[in-house]
Amino acid sequence: MDIRLASLGFGNVGRALVKMLDEKAAELERLHHLTFIFSGALTRTSGGWISTRGVTPGELAAGEWPGGSLPVGVERFEGDSRAFAAGCPAEIVLELTPLNPRSGQPAIDHIRAAFAAGRHVVTANKGPIAYAYPELRALAGEHGVSLRFESAVLDGTPIFNMVESSLPVTTISGFRGLLNSTSNYIRSRMAIGDALESATQDAQRLGIAEADPTLDLEGWDAAVKATILANVLMSADLRPADIERSGVSSEAMLAKEQALPPGHTLKQVVVCCRSEEDGAVRASVHLQALPESDLLAHLSGMETGLTLHTDTMGNLTIIEGKGGPGQTAFGLLSDLVWIAREFF
Amino acid sequence: MDIRLASLGFGNVGRALVKMLDEKAAELERLHHLTFIFSGALTRTSGGWISTRGVTPGELAAGEWPGGSLPVGVERFEGDSRAFAAGCPAEIVLELTPLNPRSGQPAIDHIRAAFAAGRHVVTANKGPIAYAYPELRALAGEHGVSLRFESAVLDGTPIFNMVESSLPVTTISGFRGLLNSTSNYIRSRMAIGDALESATQDAQRLGIAEADPTLDLEGWDAAVKATILANVLMSADLRPADIERSGVSSEAMLAKEQALPPGHTLKQVVVCCRSEEDGAVRASVHLQALPESDLLAHLSGMETGLTLHTDTMGNLTIIEGKGGPGQTAFGLLSDLVWIAREFF
């Protein structure tokens, strides 16, 4: 079974996905009878192309695009991104454009256009899920297609797919976690005496920090992820601005660092719960001094983790050892295989 | 869709499953269009029964069996356990008899008999999976039925189902974990100065220890679980006796406790890896002094956890907050829903 992919955005994660699809091509064929080919890609800076024959992950990985010449035998695509989402001949559209943390656009429109053209969507972009999940889920249902987004939180760590496949009839009443690897990395460095500035620069060099690191440090990235988890896993209807963020500025961090009680560790902690009084779901991002008895205090370096509070299994915690473009790409691959199993 | 269950064994876990199926009946119907009914059950001490009409989880939960009178309207079953597995009119056989840590029998025979009669099997019994997984998997394939066993390791914590559903084309090169909640509970109590004997007695009172607690403390339970993980997740062909166990006696534990380096915590740790030299999979259970930097050092009380070493996601860790019959029952329920989705 050949499945054609069209990619909106083609940066670090897109290149990591191409590499992984190439390396895993034989296993995908043997275990799942699947062959993925690219029928097009579009980037803001290098333009786009479409191929009716399709370009294999191996050909794409070996070539120089984006940055160099187009893959052999493709046509240049001249339209805008919505036209690409609707027109590129593919079964699945990959939405990999950069996060717009204020509105989720234009990625939401890309997904709407793909659905209207009968395509499934797999995305690593947090924006559309944080800003438009209920609408997009309903729209996918109307068009008989799938929207999957494992990589939106903790890269490819199984959360959404795990809950759907392996926690049936389970009510999630809340969650708690360290969701932002950059802030955890920087907090770990500061705990051993390094300065905020040098730790931040290193996080950027490692490719884990957002271009604007205040999105990480001041809790915006975590707030977007908390919104997604609350809306998807707890049927809430929050927006990132609804997430309480306090004490997350650099000044507050340095002041809390000074006043840290012995044996405590400062971490950027996301907490979400459903109120027993009014049933409302509330979430927050705080810099908290965690005692030694708290498991989250012991996540260090680039580790991130999430504890789900469930009625069936009590507390379940999942920890990602180290995230990066390769792990995000794996979440996309996992979603691609999921859709293929379900629809093809 | 009505699905009939026949249960071999009906102890704490069986009763917890009945309670959960009753409490979740409306959700199972609404979300999955599933109704589970019991067409029979057999225990060693209270005998067994069969019902062609079927007994609902609610009726079973409200009744007194086992220990009191039979459910209303059932026939007493007089044959042996193999005949029950083959003859009780059910789509799915639940194998919930006690673990035989030396051979996995007679549970292996129960599963063979169920397969031969065309029934799917869901089990919480570690024995058959540790001693006969490759054979039973092949046999299930021949008969076109399913064998599921999420609860064999870390209760219903998604491990096998999570790997199958959410870690496609992933190679697991090894794992490491605290798999025995009793020994972790006892180690946590001893770390705060309690005696081995009183901690062991409390573990038995809490219902988490095996009847013979040396199975927990001397690493047999962990060795059986390591065998299952290695054989299922890494295609190894180990038996529990192949798992190296050293330094796990009570005497060794007390001696290591005395000699514990500052800042270290003693834990019963399972380690498994595939040798880069000969490709062989080797696993061990050791009492190890873990430094503070080791996440496993911070699992306390009844927490258990497993880190998988993967080629796609690096290290992924999953931690169960607290196990017990309810969590084991949830693993069974999760497997039942999985089979229903796949086959009905």
Side-chain angles (χ1 to χ4, degrees):
Chain A
M1 162 75 61
D2 282 11
I3 294 184
R4 297 171 299 170
L5 309 177
S7 188
L8 278 153
F10 202 87
N12 289 337
V13 168
R15 281 190 288 270
L17 176 64
V18 162
K19 183 164 173 281
M20 189 173 273
L21 288 174
D22 183 37
E23 290 169 357
K24 294 287 188 182
E27 273 179 89
L28 284 163
E29 171 61 39
R30 181 169 56 84
L31 300 172
H32 301 285
H33 313 293
L34 290 174
T35 303
F36 292 101
I37 53 173
F38 283 80
S39 59
L42 180 69
T43 74
R44 208 169 29 171
T45 49
S46 306
W49 53 268
I50 281 189
S51 164
T52 43
R53 170 189 70 88
V55 181
T56 68
E59 289 167 336
L60 262 182
E64 289 169 25
W65 190 87
S69 52
L70 286 176
V72 175
V74 307
E75 296 164 50
R76 188 169 282 285
F77 178 82
E78 302 291 355
D80 72 5
S81 55
R82 288 165 191 78
F84 179 88
C88 182
E91 281 72 51
I92 305 179
V93 170
L94 296 162
E95 215 302 331
L96 307 179
T97 64
L99 170 66
N100 175 342
R102 265 176 291 275
S103 72
Q105 283 291 23
I108 296 171
D109 282 344
H110 297 158
I111 297 176
R112 288 178 183 140
F115 285 170
R119 283 97 197 260
H120 306 280
V121 172
V122 169
T123 184
N125 189 334
K126 296 181 281 290
I129 314 304
Y131 281 95
Y133 175 66
E135 178 214 319
L136 293 174
R137 183 185 51 180
L139 206 55
E142 284 168 30
H143 290 282
V145 294
S146 183
L147 169 65
R148 301 207 75 86
F149 45 85
E150 186 63 80
S151 290
V153 179
L154 265 57
D155 305 303
T157 304
I159 296 173
F160 304 110
N161 294 345
M162 185 266 277
V163 168
E164 185 173 340
S165 66
S166 309
L167 293 181
V169 295
T170 292
T171 299
I172 295 174
S173 59
F175 57 84
R176 180 168 179 272
L178 307 186
L179 302 182
N180 179 266
S181 59
T182 301
S183 71
N184 202 30
Y185 173 79
I186 290 173
R187 292 299 325 139
S188 298
R189 286 282 303 273
M190 291 178 73
I192 58 172
D194 289 331
L196 173 61
E197 294 70 24
S198 64
T200 305
Q201 283 161 9
D202 287 349
Q204 288 177 306
R205 254 200 299 276
L206 288 164
I208 57 168
E210 298 282 343
D212 173 3
T214 59
L215 290 180
D216 295 308
L217 291 173
E218 301 196 351
W220 276 110
D221 175 73
V224 170
K225 289 171 177 163
T227 304
I228 294 172
L229 291 167
N231 291 359
V232 175
L233 300 181
M234 299 171 68
S235 303
D237 192 16
L238 302 177
R239 295 294 173 275
D242 299 327
I243 311 300
E244 185 189 328
R245 294 177 312 109
S246 73
V248 289
S249 68
S250 302
E251 298 73 32
M253 187 198 291
L254 294 168
K256 286 186 183 180
E257 183 83 29
Q258 302 282 326
L260 205 57
H264 284 60
T265 312
L266 207 56
K267 296 286 187 191
Q268 189 197 76
V269 183
V270 170
V271 176
C272 178
C273 62
R274 188 181 294 279
S275 156
E276 288 187 11
E277 283 173 27
D278 60 6
V281 173
R282 294 188 181 85
S284 62
V285 184
H286 290 299
L287 264 180
Q288 287 190 328
L290 303 180
E292 277 184 23
S293 58
D294 192 325
L295 195 67
L296 294 185
H298 304 285
L299 299 193
S300 63
M302 285 188 263
E303 286 173 334
T304 46
L306 175 69
T307 299
L308 300 175
H309 309 309
T310 76
D311 65 335
T312 53
M313 284 300 299
N315 289 341
L316 271 184
T317 301
I318 189 153
I319 295 166
E320 179 181 20
K322 189 180 160 185
Q327 283 68 41
T328 307
F330 176 71
L332 298 170
L333 186 154
S334 180
D335 284 340
L336 291 173
V337 173
W338 185 295
I339 290 176
R341 280 177 180 158
E342 201 168 345
F343 288 89
F344 299 113
Chain B
M1 161 76 60
D2 281 12
I3 295 185
R4 295 171 302 170
L5 310 176
S7 188
L8 279 152
F10 203 87
N12 289 338
V13 169
R15 280 190 290 269
L17 176 63
V18 162
K19 184 164 171 280
M20 190 174 274
L21 287 174
D22 183 38
E23 289 169 356
K24 294 286 188 183
E27 273 179 89
L28 284 163
E29 171 61 37
R30 180 170 57 85
L31 300 172
H32 302 286
H33 311 293
L34 290 173
T35 302
F36 293 102
I37 52 173
F38 283 81
S39 60
L42 179 68
T43 74
R44 206 168 34 173
T45 49
S46 306
W49 53 268
I50 280 189
S51 164
T52 44
R53 168 188 72 87
V55 180
T56 68
E59 288 168 336
L60 261 181
E64 287 169 26
W65 189 86
S69 52
L70 287 175
V72 175
V74 306
E75 297 165 48
R76 188 169 280 286
F77 178 82
E78 302 291 354
D80 73 4
S81 55
R82 289 165 190 78
F84 180 87
C88 182
E91 280 74 49
I92 305 179
V93 170
L94 296 162
E95 215 302 331
L96 308 179
T97 65
L99 170 66
N100 174 341
R102 266 177 291 275
S103 73
Q105 284 288 23
I108 296 171
D109 283 343
H110 297 158
I111 296 177
R112 289 178 182 138
F115 285 169
R119 283 97 198 260
H120 306 279
V121 173
V122 169
T123 184
N125 189 334
K126 296 182 279 289
I129 314 302
Y131 281 95
Y133 176 65
E135 177 214 321
L136 292 175
R137 186 185 48 179
L139 207 55
E142 285 168 30
H143 290 282
V145 293
S146 184
L147 170 65
R148 301 208 74 88
F149 45 84
E150 186 63 82
S151 290
V153 180
L154 265 58
D155 307 302
T157 304
I159 296 173
F160 304 110
N161 293 345
M162 186 265 278
V163 168
E164 185 174 340
S165 65
S166 309
L167 293 181
V169 296
T170 293
T171 299
I172 295 173
S173 59
F175 57 84
R176 180 168 181 271
L178 308 186
L179 302 182
N180 179 266
S181 58
T182 301
S183 71
N184 201 29
Y185 172 79
I186 290 172
R187 292 298 326 137
S188 297
R189 287 282 304 271
M190 290 176 73
I192 56 169
D194 289 330
L196 173 60
E197 294 71 23
S198 64
T200 306
Q201 284 162 9
D202 288 347
Q204 289 177 304
R205 253 200 298 274
L206 288 164
I208 57 168
E210 298 280 344
D212 173 3
T214 60
L215 290 180
D216 295 307
L217 291 174
E218 300 196 353
W220 276 111
D221 175 73
V224 170
K225 289 172 177 164
T227 305
I228 293 172
L229 290 167
N231 292 359
V232 175
L233 301 181
M234 300 171 66
S235 303
D237 192 16
L238 302 177
R239 295 293 173 275
D242 299 327
I243 311 300
E244 186 189 329
R245 294 179 311 109
S246 73
V248 289
S249 69
S250 302
E251 298 73 32
M253 186 198 289
L254 293 168
K256 286 187 182 180
E257 181 84 30
Q258 302 280 326
L260 205 57
H264 284 60
T265 312
L266 207 56
K267 296 286 186 189
Q268 188 196 75
V269 182
V270 170
V271 176
C272 178
C273 61
R274 188 180 295 279
S275 157
E276 288 186 13
E277 284 172 28
D278 60 5
V281 173
R282 294 187 182 85
S284 63
V285 184
H286 291 300
L287 264 179
Q288 287 189 330
L290 303 180
E292 276 185 22
S293 59
D294 192 325
L295 196 66
L296 294 185
H298 304 285
L299 298 192
S300 62
M302 285 187 261
E303 286 174 334
T304 47
L306 175 70
T307 299
L308 301 175
H309 309 309
T310 76
D311 65 336
T312 53
M313 283 300 300
N315 289 341
L316 270 185
T317 301
I318 190 154
I319 294 166
E320 180 181 18
K322 188 179 162 187
Q327 284 68 42
T328 308
F330 176 71
L332 298 170
L333 185 155
S334 181
D335 285 340
L336 292 173
V337 172
W338 185 294
I339 291 175
R341 280 179 182 158
E342 202 168 345
F343 288 88
F344 299 112

